[in-house]
Amino acid sequence: MRYTFKIGDELHKVAPRSLADELVLTIGDAECRVEFEHGKGGRCNVTLDGKSYDYWMARDGDDIYIKMSGSYFKVAAIDPCAAAAGASAGAGAISAPMPGVVVEMLVREGDSVVDGDKLLTIESMKLQSTIRAACDGVVGRIHVSVGSEFNKDDVLVEFENDD
């Protein structure tokens, strides 16, 4: 299984697997053997392919803050289910959960949809995700088309108001 972590503004794909008593992580295209040692007060040690690093770690909800070698990093795990569902930009709008490109449009303006209907397929970092309707409604305005690139939080689809 692959996981996605956001470190600063960069997304990193990580695939863990174990070999006998070792943990091996594939990070991007590189593989490394990993050993963790958690100390008290947030002090930790990680050994990557035999090279040891001390760091301090603190959690705030799902976010992890790390201080290593005088630098600070915020690490956030990205839930693939939440990312694929899309984030709501406001009542009646679906925004992009991550930057990417539109691969397939599955609705048109004026179409009626119900909660869970597929609206469009996006691709981000070679991973395709389906954006689904978060409620029943009528598609009002579509802001993207096949091949369109978008940024995180850009509005993709708006729904008509039920005044």
Side-chain angles (χ1 to χ4, degrees):
M1 174 155 201
R2 288 192 172 270
Y3 298 91
T4 302
F5 293 93
K6 185 174 183 180
I7 303 174
D9 290 330
E10 295 183 33
L11 295 176
H12 298 274
K13 298 268 185 202
V14 178
R17 63 186 176 93
S18 61
L19 296 175
D21 294 334
E22 292 182 299
L23 172 64
V24 177
L25 295 180
T26 301
I27 304 171
D29 295 330
E31 271 196 1
C32 60
R33 286 167 170 51
V34 181
E35 294 177 34
F36 290 100
E37 182 180 320
H38 295 280
K40 293 185 179 185
R43 185 177 179 147
C44 303
N45 181 274
V46 64
T47 303
L48 303 172
D49 286 334
K51 188 169 181 181
S52 183
Y53 301 91
D54 287 322
Y55 65 97
W56 284 263
M57 180 181 80
R59 285 185 178 265
D60 181 21
D62 289 337
D63 294 330
I64 300 169
Y65 295 89
I66 295 175
K67 178 184 177 191
M68 182 168 33
S69 302
S71 297
Y72 293 88
F73 304 93
K74 177 182 175 185
V75 179
I78 297 176
D79 178 353
C81 295
S88 182
I94 299 290
S95 65
M98 61 193 100
V101 64
V102 177
V103 176
E104 180 180 25
M105 289 300 307
L106 302 167
V107 294
R108 292 184 297 217
E109 292 178 358
D111 285 355
S112 292
V113 296
V114 296
D115 184 11
D117 277 356
K118 296 177 182 179
L119 303 175
L120 61 149
T121 303
I122 63 170
E123 184 174 297
S124 180
M125 297 184 65
K126 299 181 183 178
L127 172 71
Q128 289 192 359
S129 302
T130 300
I131 303 297
R132 297 176 183 271
C135 60
D136 297 355
V138 175
V139 176
R141 183 163 179 229
I142 299 174
H143 293 265
V144 292
S145 59
V146 173
S148 295
E149 292 184 7
F150 53 83
N151 293 310
K152 182 181 186 313
D153 297 328
D154 283 355
V155 174
L156 303 174
V157 178
E158 289 182 83
F159 294 93
E160 293 179 356
N161 290 334
D162 276 346
D163 295 338

